[in-house]
Amino acid sequence: MRRQWARELEVYWCPEYNVPVFRRKDCEGSVRLSLFQPRDLRPAWEGDVKHLSKAFDEEVGKGSWDKLTGGRMAFLNKVPALDHAYEIVVDGDILARAIYDPLSEKWRIRLGYLGAVRALEEGFIDSKEVDDIKPGDVVGRGNKQIALVKDGKVIAVAIPKRGKLRVDKVWKHPRRGALSEKKQSLKDVLKANEKFLEELREWSVNVIRKAPRGKRVVSLSGGKDSALVVQMLKEAGEEALLLFNDTGIELPETVETARLEAEYFGMPLEVASAGNLFWKAVDLFSPPARDFRWCCKVTKLGPIARKMLPMGEVVNFVGNRWWESLERARASPMMKMKYFPTITTVSPILPWPQLLELAYLIEKGVPINPLYFKGFDRVGCFMCPGATAWEFKLVKELHPELWEKWERILRKWAKRLGYGEWWVKGGWRWLAPEAPKKALAMKAKEEVNWKEEYRRRLSKVKYLGIRKRGKIVEVKLKYDRKKALDLAKLLGTKVEGEKVLGPKGEYIFKEDKVVVKAKGEALEEAFEAIRVIHASNACAGCKICETWCPTGAIKVIDEGKETRPVLVKPDACEGCRLCMYLCPSADVVADHLIGGLMFNNPKAWKRPSKPHKELVQKLAEGAWRRKATRP
């Protein structure tokens, strides 16, 4: 069942200014637009127009973009798709849908009612008389979309699929079509939404003024949302420290924009840098995926925690908006930050639509990341698995040297995993055999074997099998036993050679296996030993364990080009295991890969028997408060 948005953003069209408005009452005669949620429209900038114009040339006809838009503003509404897609709104109606095909690396244009009518009038497409039709019907053969006409009215379009023309969209009449053909600009957007903008601004300033006491810190991303947060702080008469998290995989434009914004607002800038940790970790862990996000812990959680821990009570202003995702649609203006009990998160721009956000920032002269004007919907880590193949293509065009570096890594792993070009072109963004991953593999006439893939992703620890007899579990592995034993004390209270004894069981570390005699749930307790083995053998050096340990028992040490966690104060260890629950190696990589194989489930990390997230959060918050309040 499709998840529902907790909040709904309504969009109307104002004929007077020929622009979107977000409340019917703000423009007389406005008409509600039927768009996909969340309806968070943005302008089609010069970069978008460049690529869409080329796609219209190929799919509709040479010069068709200019003719069909009349040179007026187009607005893009991002919609669900296998990769990247937009509804293109012009003059108050949907001109077309643009759908990106990651395998052919081309945009496909599917004309809407307004686009079909105008394309037919301008002679870009042909028409065919039909009677009753429905989506999917074959109406002929051809390699170019056509308009389908009944009683002199366009009622549908048919698109080419494998040489056949199949009905795509069918429209009921009467249809409105264009509501206005007036030339417009961003100033018209601001004018039409003037009253709503003032209310949004007042809402933001009010949230800021209600924030509790504490050191003011803005999470500055180099993107539009955090820029608006700082602008609202400025208008509320507040000062703050701007904290920029340089993950080491940001685009140069983003790093430079953060610097320019700090300079423009006249506020101090600090950088929480991950250095080259990502590039070290990807060799150890394999590429991250949407469901395999070890990268966030390595490049974000660790560096930010080390910066914020000494600050004490912090009020952290962040640029969350309700219309960004289903999760953020449920956000409240003020929340305690997960794992950081001394930090209150304040989200002062939650209700802002991005169209008004962008128009307002431009009007105020705030530095804006130039990537937006080149076609990016979001800015952040340049190879984020949450991005789309289209955004990756934009990166490749703008910074070929960065994308070549990443593609070399992808090709190395594709070869190791036994996958073809489909995986390099986008399949890597999923770990488990999700529908989009299987669809890309199927198009390339390949199959996804999740068990083999999980085994091949493992590097420093090799999983060889499992045997269970009642409460005794034997996991066969290839690993460095000495490294594991240097950390194993955290599992119990006493170490006797290769054996660790504790309240939850007995753990015996052999050369080629670990044997666990559990007192509780046997498989889960065996996996606790696997966490220790993987963390000690495959450490990326993020130092999250060291940062959070409330007693200072654990430390990450350098050994040549490698790092590993060791218990430097074994007697100080309280056995809470928090270090393992926060560690990207133990909690993400081992849990997803070895956990999947042990529990025979590609999504075993979702199992209800694992340590509950509320328990982990309670441990983390307790440890953080102890460290943050220590003299």
Side-chain angles (χ1 to χ4, degrees), residues 220-222 244 253-263 269:
L220 193 71
S221 68
F244 176 62
E253 292 90 341
T254 301
V255 178
E256 176 63 7
T257 300
R259 186 191 68 78
L260 290 173
E261 287 172 349
E263 187 178 277
L269 175 68

Side-chain angles (χ1 to χ4, degrees), residues 490-546:
L490 64 84
L491 289 169
T493 55
K494 188 177 180 182
V495 179
E496 296 178 350
E498 64 182 16
K499 186 185 298 184
V500 179
L501 305 173
K504 295 184 179 181
E506 182 179 305
Y507 316 83
I508 306 167
F509 292 84
K510 301 285 189 180
E511 288 289 347
D512 61 346
K513 62 188 173 186
V514 62
V515 180
V516 178
K517 299 176 182 178
K519 294 180 180 178
E521 208 288 317
L523 275 178
E524 206 59 66
E525 199 56 37
F527 188 74
E528 294 292 288
I530 298 300
R531 290 182 191 272
V532 170
I533 289 171
H534 204 276
S536 61
N537 279 250
C539 171
C542 69
K543 298 187 178 180
I544 289 175
C545 56
E546 185 178 318

Side-chain angles (χ1 to χ4, degrees), residues 308-498:
M308 284 193 160
L309 184 59
M311 294 182 184
E313 294 291 334
V314 171
V315 178
N316 184 209
F317 294 96
V318 297
N320 292 337
R321 294 186 306 109
W322 284 329
W323 325 118
E324 291 179 281
S325 67
L326 288 161
E327 288 72 26
R328 290 189 177 179
R330 291 175 165 78
S332 300
M334 291 186 207
M335 297 185 293
K336 276 294 180 184
M337 197 170 183
K338 186 180 178 182
Y339 299 162
F340 300 86
T342 59
I343 300 174
T344 301
T345 298
V346 179
S347 302
I349 65 162
L350 286 170
W352 283 72
Q354 67 173 329
L355 175 59
L356 300 188
E357 169 185 45
L358 287 159
Y360 190 74
L361 288 171
I362 290 170
E363 176 75 9
K364 293 294 181 181
V366 176
I368 294 178
N369 197 317
L371 294 172
Y372 291 121
F373 306 113
K374 294 176 181 178
F376 286 80
D377 283 296
R378 54 169 289 283
V379 298
C381 304
F382 78 83
M383 37 54 59
C384 175
T388 62
W390 167 243
E391 289 170 313
F392 298 149
K393 187 175 181 181
L394 288 175
V395 173
K396 189 175 180 178
E397 288 178 4
L398 290 170
H399 295 285
E401 73 293 344
L402 284 177
W403 193 253
E404 284 166 16
K405 180 179 181 179
W406 178 237
E407 206 166 71
R408 281 196 299 272
I409 290 170
L410 290 178
R411 291 192 186 284
K412 181 188 82 171
W413 279 97
K415 184 177 180 180
R416 180 165 164 173
L417 299 177
Y419 290 143
E421 193 69 12
W422 69 271
W423 192 83
V424 175
K425 286 190 173 181
W428 65 271
R429 290 172 292 156
W430 295 270
L431 172 67
E434 301 287 0
K437 182 176 180 177
K438 291 195 288 186
L440 289 169
M442 192 180 300
K443 278 189 175 183
K445 297 183 174 152
E446 290 189 24
E447 291 184 358
V448 174
N449 182 334
W450 72 267
K451 289 185 179 180
E452 189 61 28
E453 177 179 339
Y454 285 21
R455 283 192 175 91
R456 293 185 181 190
R457 280 180 180 260
L458 291 165
S459 55
K460 296 290 186 179
V461 178
K462 295 293 185 182
Y463 174 82
L464 303 175
I466 187 170
R467 186 169 66 173
K468 183 176 180 290
R469 291 168 292 148
K471 293 287 186 179
I472 301 174
V473 179
E474 182 181 288
V475 184
K476 293 183 178 180
L477 302 157
K478 184 178 178 182
Y479 72 109
D480 187 320
R481 185 170 70 143
K482 181 185 179 303
K483 289 180 178 179
L485 283 169
D486 284 346
L487 195 61
K489 163 71 166 55
L490 64 84
L491 289 169
T493 55
K494 188 177 180 182
V495 179
E496 296 178 350
E498 64 182 16

